[in-house]
Amino acid sequence: MTEKVVLAYSGGLDTTVAVRWLKDNKGLDVVAVGVDVGQAGDLEAIRERAMKSGAIDAVMVDAVDEFASDFVVPSLHANALYQQKYPLVSALSRPLISKHLAEAAAQHGAAYVAHGCTGKGNDQVRFEVSLAAIAPELTVLAPIREWGMTREDAISYGMEAGLPIPVGPAAPYSIDENLWGRTIECGILEDPMVEPPADIWERTADPFDAPDEPVYLEIGFERGVPVSLDGEAIGLPALIRAVEKVAGAFGYGRVDMIEDRVVGIKSREIYEVPGALALITAHADLEELTLDREVLRLKRVLEQRYAQLIYEGLWYSPLREAMDAFMTETAKHVIGTVRLRFEPGNARVVGRESSGSLYDYSVATYDKEDSFDHSAAEGFVKLWGLPLKIWARTKQKLNP
Amino acid sequence: MTEKVVLAYSGGLDTTVAVRWLKDNKGLDVVAVGVDVGQAGDLEAIRERAMKSGAIDAVMVDAVDEFASDFVVPSLHANALYQQKYPLVSALSRPLISKHLAEAAAQHGAAYVAHGCTGKGNDQVRFEVSLAAIAPELTVLAPIREWGMTREDAISYGMEAGLPIPVGPAAPYSIDENLWGRTIECGILEDPMVEPPADIWERTADPFDAPDEPVYLEIGFERGVPVSLDGEAIGLPALIRAVEKVAGAFGYGRVDMIEDRVVGIKSREIYEVPGALALITAHADLEELTLDREVLRLKRVLEQRYAQLIYEGLWYSPLREAMDAFMTETAKHVIGTVRLRFEPGNARVVGRESSGSLYDYSVATYDKEDSFDHSAAEGFVKLWGLPLKIWARTKQKLNP
Amino acid sequence: MTEKVVLAYSGGLDTTVAVRWLKDNKGLDVVAVGVDVGQAGDLEAIRERAMKSGAIDAVMVDAVDEFASDFVVPSLHANALYQQKYPLVSALSRPLISKHLAEAAAQHGAAYVAHGCTGKGNDQVRFEVSLAAIAPELTVLAPIREWGMTREDAISYGMEAGLPIPVGPAAPYSIDENLWGRTIECGILEDPMVEPPADIWERTADPFDAPDEPVYLEIGFERGVPVSLDGEAIGLPALIRAVEKVAGAFGYGRVDMIEDRVVGIKSREIYEVPGALALITAHADLEELTLDREVLRLKRVLEQRYAQLIYEGLWYSPLREAMDAFMTETAKHVIGTVRLRFEPGNARVVGRESSGSLYDYSVATYDKEDSFDHSAAEGFVKLWGLPLKIWARTKQKLNP
Amino acid sequence: MTEKVVLAYSGGLDTTVAVRWLKDNKGLDVVAVGVDVGQAGDLEAIRERAMKSGAIDAVMVDAVDEFASDFVVPSLHANALYQQKYPLVSALSRPLISKHLAEAAAQHGAAYVAHGCTGKGNDQVRFEVSLAAIAPELTVLAPIREWGMTREDAISYGMEAGLPIPVGPAAPYSIDENLWGRTIECGILEDPMVEPPADIWERTADPFDAPDEPVYLEIGFERGVPVSLDGEAIGLPALIRAVEKVAGAFGYGRVDMIEDRVVGIKSREIYEVPGALALITAHADLEELTLDREVLRLKRVLEQRYAQLIYEGLWYSPLREAMDAFMTETAKHVIGTVRLRFEPGNARVVGRESSGSLYDYSVATYDKEDSFDHSAAEGFVKLWGLPLKIWARTKQKLNP
């Protein structure tokens, strides 16, 4: 009996050619799996294309809610921004897709899974390490990395095989997208000194084209999860999309950065992440109202490590589990409302309130209600500075 | 002979009253010292007011260049943002002012210095710890913290004494400013849910009132220091002001945050820091082009600690010296140009280039010139994921 | 009605005098509370002394099991060693005692609690911050810090009042002890260059007097908690004492260090902690067998922060709760047996095994069974070194 | 003309066979380079063996002083212990050997260098990454990793070729050593539960065989470097050997650990490092006397990162340079004398003194000379605990 491979299928040129290549070169029957993580596109059309390409089966999985609750939420709890900028759009979806690949492999009795990544990107790492962690018995194939065909070769190969490959000129950029944002790379963007052209943006307007009046949104959080908009309860995917729409209209959420890839090289990356950035901004602000200083200080350091591990494909790792335990514990206290003012180019927090607020007006005010013990400050400052005073005296003795 | 006290003098109500209070209550002759760190205001008028208030001497020190080179530069090297938001405006000037107080004390043979801070702010800590570190033999007085007068008491006291105190209604906010930015607090701002009113802003326009066309600035860096604007060499204070002017016009650089003070309370603070934020953004971006990944990762963590120590008054500390050694070593490599696009509400990096760039087109490109060894990736990914594979197998054995 | 104060009572001179002083100077009725955390001493005798000193009530609480399970276990999970040396003996018991003080205050309707600490030690901080966190409505008194009496003054005061204070010469050292170890300070030990005299040690022999043959102990762990000794299940307090006895006999577990106190000064401290150190050593070793590298790296950094926060009195803090969540998650995997060889002066791990071991003989061996993919290494090393290769080339271009 | 390869030559079976294999399989002339980093062995005999094996040239470099000053000193400044246990014996010598390989390659006009490491150890990484960083133009060969011969194959190959390979049974362990310590691995040691047999130890006695009387050594430090022994100035290599001899005689310095290798696996490693551990212990102790608390806290965290980067082959990296800048700045203050008591199984610090001591008897003492301001403590503790008090009140309000 012919063995099977489950292929992560996007409907693009590479994975379409891969369906055939895996049969021709590995002698495997291909089960194509597509996962809806909130990207645009007609999944049924993609499914049909997979079948026309020679797949023995093709399955499209609706995973938007799962993506929001199991991947976006932990990431938001951690305010996860790789290099303090990139909200891990693709890095978050890869482990989810890997999980569905492994499930499909189990259902179809496949010993192989395959992805369509090249050898220099991050996604190969994310797929292969995720699969090693959740299904170590599976063998992972990387046809595009292995075949070494140029784009032209791949087109010829696909044409000869009669595959339903896209016609027309090559897309000038490489795009990946999902509920949490959109990634744009390659082409002219590979020159770090070239300004990203206007035609790459889909989810964000130019700030010069922003509305004439500010929009205010009040985002309500429970346990660190956004659960309401202007007081109305709303599911997370809908909330993300609603915030993204407003933020994008004001031209907020464009990221242009030099990024350190897992494989040891720097690349230039462009992201459109208006919803993700606005929500992370609001969440982090509410944390500053509701979390203790020392918790915040340590958490802000851990957040960087968290973002790195997700970026580097280590989602299914005991490190993430341990860090999630930390984050979840802190999230218990993050309750309240953040008021965002959307203005051209910006989503600015202009107010926040919480039943768990640690801001105490009676001690913070300079007003008459002040209940802060000013005399305690003298003793505090004295001991706070004591180590440096001893230090200074010692140095004076050494170097009179 | 009457002993002397050197008083940090701003010309405001509190320090004007303090001149007299120190004489009346401590029996000290007051030498008033004002330090120009780039704030607005007529220093000569302030000097005269000090004399009229009864000071035996009054000195105004021009310290703008010193502030830029010795305080702003190290802070920029560290991309120092307290809580990742506040560029340490007042926190940077206090140690500099303390140094000039100590120098004046030495010149005038004073055994005392005094500042005009209250008992619940950060600045008392910064002054007293700085002075403990640079002149541990001096005794520091804090008349405002000690006297316990309300504002009204202080005015009465000053009126009776015939002091040249400001008349008219109290300012609704408490302001501090210098070359690096402007701080606004108190009054209605003490309610964290109230949006900052439009009248508090001086250095930033509303983004809705931004110019209609983008402005591009190219900032040139050498050893991590901005040294040119659009190719023209320019001194640091002038450069900061020029960038601030553009950034502010576009409504960029407003910060509204809940802040953890040294004395253990949370406060709500507003900052206007268009120049500082634009320069830190540009500097950090250039670092991502020119610094090694592992350097960046550690540096980004250290930056948080650096900002904390400055915020907490530990400028003159061996920890700053050791961290500065780290920062200075990394800054050696930060050379090049960053292109900023100023657009409503934003200062976005849209290009960067460097003779020390670690971005290598030949390995990064997906184009034909690709020189990256794709086959190496397979082995890399295998070993990268090996720990998780072993982990997964072990867990499978434990929980079959 | 006379108000009440609950006093942490040890039976020593200071707290005995404090019983009377609190009545004389504060007009309070004293309820004395002693807590057994595993120290030596006759609690009933202490109770009687409290009553004879004028307490209206005296309660001795047996808290050994609670100390072991609720304070030692989390601390062991975190391998908590302040400055990587001190296993937090007193720092662990203070929050527990504080809890029992607060409970007694609630039972007796007391609005005050009191401790017997001076103004320069750490324990005042631990008591007062613990009490602020668990019973913020209570007022804390610190009679010894407040009264400013010398030891001689206190003795005179006690003698005149007819208190049952210890007679004879003053103890040459200040001692605190519990199940987890023993602290010795003061007197001649305050000179950091003086070797601790032989008479200070109680729980450890001189290594020169160790037994002639090694002793081996196998300590079994479940979820990071030691649960068996040489295969026999045993409760934690008994296990700690059994290990301490062996380790101490071999002269293992003496600590002599310069310590940074919370109040900003350095002190010289001596500890006897043979059981604590042997168990931490065993636990950390088993972690290295059973925890993932990246977990270990982050955990080892967090452990330092954990020890600091306990040392600094922040036991009842959200930071500890969040860190405990992290630690508890990792502890799930720490199962197995560690074999310790006790030899003169040392407790050396000479073997460890675990059903959750991540040591995989088949990949680790250099023997014939080797299943490691050597060819993968080439690709791995190439990409591992790629950033430095690009770095080197860039520097060569800049400085040919 | 035949191209040349510079081979790191140890005189053992593998590198002896490699001389011939490189000629047979790569057509290269071999220049053998041996580097004396303080290991035992007759270098001239090794040189002759290389020539007899067919090398066209063989050079032995005396690098002991260089190793001490340029590699051990920075490592000691950082108290570098991988996993807080292993003082980086081999990890420190590999970059030094790499440097001499690169120099020899330049002298001999070789385009290739070669090392004798396998595919699963750390040393391949250290050699190849070091060479990538200091001579990126060189191609590195790894014959042993490439040839895939078993030990028996290699012997047959060598015998047939008439090479001067060692006869007799294979050594039961794999050893590496230098001035800083000795590494033992493989064979029976690969079972983590097996106690290391007595015959593996060369530099340490069993503690049961320790001398009957303690030995005291006073180690003098300047700028963090040990420069004298019992008051006598002494060069670093001689000092290390003298301390090692005493420490080893007392059975101190045996390390048995589960180690996380660069290539993603755990291994069991044994080290004998009596001198290194005694010196690191002394150095770290002196730091606690002479460095500020905040410096120490950050440094202790950085030390772990430092040890990791050295372990992982990143010696010639900008991260090390930046961290060294930090370490060197702190080392300025590390001056003084540490008194070590060598006793069976232990090297215990029993005294330390320094002209730069931050221990201040007058504030630390509980004696009559006490100059500490006890009243300041009250205010300090109040503000220190204020965040937790506000926290507690907030939680009480939320959950009455």
Side-chain angles (χ1 to χ4, degrees), chain D residues 9 12 15-21 23 30 46-56 161-165:
Chain D
Y9 185 72
T15 51
T16 297
V17 170
V19 174
R20 179 61 175 256
W21 187 90
K23 184 151 197 73
V30 174
I46 291 174
R47 210 192 64 77
E48 286 168 16
R49 190 177 303 156
M51 295 304 292
K52 283 186 196 150
S53 305
I56 62 161
L163 302 180
I165 56 175

Side-chain angles (χ1 to χ4, degrees), chain A residues 14 28 45 51 54 111 116 131 133-134 195 200 210 212 254 290 333 369:
Chain A
D14 280 342
L28 296 169
M51 294 306 291
L131 287 160
I134 56 183
E195 181 174 351
I200 68 166
D212 291 335
R254 298 178 170 183
T290 56
H333 310 290
E369 291 94 303

